[in-house]
Amino acid sequence: MRPKPSQPQSGELFRARLDEQINMRHPLVRLAGLMDWEQIERHFASHFTSGRGRPALAPRLVAGLLYLQHANDASDEAVVNTWVENPYWQFFCGETYLQTELPIDPSSLTRWRQRIGEEGVEVLLAITIEAARAAGLINKASVQRVIVDTTVMPKAVAHPTDGRLLDKSRQHLVKAAEDNGLRLRQNYNRVAPRLAAQIGRYAHARQFKRMRRAVRTLRTRVGRVHRGMRSMPGNPYDGHTLAETLEQVGILTGTDRLPAMAIVDKGYRGVEIEGVRILMSGQKRGITRTLKAMIKRRSAIEPAIGHMKMDGRLARNPLKGALGDALHAVMCGAGHNLRLILAALRLCCARFGLSVQEIITALIAAAVERRPARG
């Protein structure tokens, strides 16, 4: 069933509202006022077609938890538990009064991610860009020139050379062969589990030569079962991703047009896109002083990726499957945008506080000077 539309809560006699207890100049409070929550509610509500059953959770609560999770590098359990302890997080998620119980079960975030899909998280990312515009941090000309680069997002899985993982892959292959009526010459149902256990014992005893020998043997057994195995397309060439990336930039920025200029590294060599001027690092021909400065600016994307991996959740993807890869990458971008906006808002608050302090100091000094001397 669709979530119920958010209604302003009526006042309670013996409870104080959150906006009466917290600092309304806090960066997270100001960020909440910049976000287009109504658009999130409209988009999330479109995923519920049935009119039966229990009403879904409030879209602002779920979207706020996803934002806070990726902005603060928290797991599903951690973000829900911290929400109870932090009144600013509760205000950001749309609560009027202080809550003392968990808002949802952490597993609900998994189901919401699956329901909204890649399109839903792209809406969340686009809203962070609009919030940055509303805060005056970017202008319209900024989206006409983009810096493009790719990076690796490791999956939170065991290393593929691990003995248990090799045996698990053999089990899946044997089961698939049985389901499709294929007769295997050997399935190694007795030998492979023993090898996997022996690998663990060798590693614990720090007998690495014997361990590597056992791993090679197990890999050979699995290879005999899985003849003709091919690698899955999960590591494409950089240049093949540029057209899709630029198209996504137009969608997220609301222009529905490709940017006029893209600045890339040498991994995109040979790629041409109609209507887009592509500048490459190390390019010499036809480069003016202004374009040279833009190309030098390309290296700024490297520390941004580093911060997304160290401060965010890009260094490890815990979500399952190709859909989980897409959702996690986009939400990492949204979390990084929120961290940048919050940093700018904190700096603005600090400057405002210093200005007020200077004014008060000047008024006190002027009052002291006007005071008539006694005696």
Side-chain angles (χ1 to χ4, degrees), residues 144 246 257-262 271-278:
Q144 296 302 314
L246 297 181
R257 294 180 301 178
L258 298 179
M261 184 181 299
V271 180
E272 295 182 0
I273 298 178
E274 185 179 356
V276 180
R277 183 174 184 181
I278 300 177

Side-chain angles (χ1 to χ4, degrees), residues 171-228:
Q171 294 174 14
H172 285 299
L173 291 171
V174 171
K175 185 177 184 302
E178 292 176 353
D179 294 341
N180 291 276
L182 299 177
R183 186 176 180 181
L184 298 174
R185 294 180 60 186
Q186 292 175 310
N187 54 26
Y188 300 102
N189 283 339
R190 287 184 297 178
V191 176
R194 293 176 185 172
L195 279 172
Q198 193 64 42
I199 290 170
R201 295 190 185 102
Y202 285 146
H204 181 72
R206 302 184 67 82
Q207 299 177 4
F208 296 117
K209 287 185 178 180
R210 293 181 177 180
M211 182 197 74
R212 285 192 287 268
R213 189 182 307 119
V215 169
R216 285 196 299 268
T217 304
L218 180 58
R219 188 182 293 112
T220 302
R221 301 293 186 268
V222 176
R224 290 177 182 176
V225 177
H226 194 188
R227 296 292 185 184

Side-chain angles (χ1 to χ4, degrees), residues 1-4 47-57 115:
M1 185 176 178
R2 286 172 174 259
K4 292 183 178 180
H47 293 279
F48 296 87
T49 56
S50 175
R52 295 182 174 183
R54 178 182 177 182
L57 296 169
R115 182 179 292 274

